[in-house]
Amino acid sequence: VIIEKKIFWKQLNIFLIIIIMLVDFLKEQIFLVIVFVGSFAAFVYLTLQKLSGILEVSPAEATNLINRQDAVIIDVRSFDEFVKGHLPNAKNFPAETFLQDVDKIRELQKDKPLLLYCTSGLRSQRAAKELKNLGFTLLHNLADGINAWINANYPIIKGKK
């Protein structure tokens, strides 16, 4: 029993020394710790995003989807917002009445990529989730919405067309 207690205290002492060394290392290498935590957080975010089936894309990535994969562009802003300026060839399905337009939306080809956007990306993210529930799989959300598109100096169309 005495030998077991000595072994226990020796192992505990080694464990505490390791913890102290780890804390000292973390203090000395705070920059590496921050980089590691940031990288890990980005990895988790991107992994969860891919698992959701809805990819956030930049204006440049959106342009590639449109030009190379013939993506269908869906603007989920209100009609008034749409008329003030929208992406070329965008179809307007306002978020407020999105589920009422289900029949029109189902006419879209489910095997084509869909690019959804709104003003900032929030309404289009919700609409993309609804489309995922309808069986659409190639869903993309324009990160930061039309604001990002305009800030990148990409063209917009004004009017109903």
Side-chain angles (χ1 to χ4, degrees):
V1 177
I2 294 175
I3 293 175
E4 289 178 9
K5 285 184 181 181
K6 283 183 179 182
I7 293 173
F8 170 77
W9 288 112
K10 187 173 183 175
Q11 288 175 343
L12 181 62
N13 193 27
I14 292 171
F15 176 74
L16 292 175
I17 290 170
I18 291 172
I19 295 295
I20 291 169
M21 290 173 62
L22 180 62
V23 169
D24 287 343
F25 173 80
L26 294 177
K27 284 181 192 176
E28 292 171 7
Q29 303 297 329
I30 191 69
F31 179 73
L32 289 177
V33 171
I34 291 170
V35 169
F36 173 76
V37 169
S39 298
F40 182 73
F43 171 76
V44 169
Y45 173 76
L46 292 172
T47 301
L48 291 176
Q49 186 181 32
K50 286 182 181 180
L51 290 175
S52 76
I54 303 165
L55 298 176
E56 294 280 324
V57 295
S58 68
E61 293 167 321
T63 301
N64 284 335
L65 279 171
I66 296 164
N67 293 337
R68 294 188 181 157
Q69 297 181 35
D70 197 27
V72 176
I73 308 165
I74 299 176
D75 185 328
V76 299
R77 298 174 303 149
S78 69
F79 180 73
D80 291 339
E81 291 173 297
F82 181 80
V83 172
K84 290 178 184 173
H86 57 272
L87 275 63
N89 300 318
K91 298 175 184 346
N92 185 225
F93 293 108
E96 296 80 23
T97 60
F98 197 73
L99 293 177
Q100 296 170 4
D101 294 323
V102 168
D103 292 334
K104 292 178 188 172
I105 294 168
R106 286 193 176 152
E107 291 174 11
L108 302 173
Q109 297 175 5
K110 290 185 179 182
D111 60 339
K112 276 192 171 187
L114 298 182
L115 173 65
L116 287 85
Y117 75 93
C118 60
T119 303
S120 65
L122 297 176
R123 288 180 283 178
S124 52
Q125 182 71 288
R126 286 192 299 267
K129 288 177 184 174
E130 295 294 335
L131 288 175
K132 184 177 180 191
N133 292 338
L134 292 174
F136 288 87
T137 56
L138 301 173
L139 299 168
H140 302 82
N141 186 40
L142 181 60
D144 299 320
I146 197 167
N147 290 337
W149 186 269
I150 292 169
N151 289 336
N153 294 317
Y154 283 51
I156 61 167
I157 307 294
K158 294 188 179 190
K160 288 194 265 186
K161 191 173 181 182

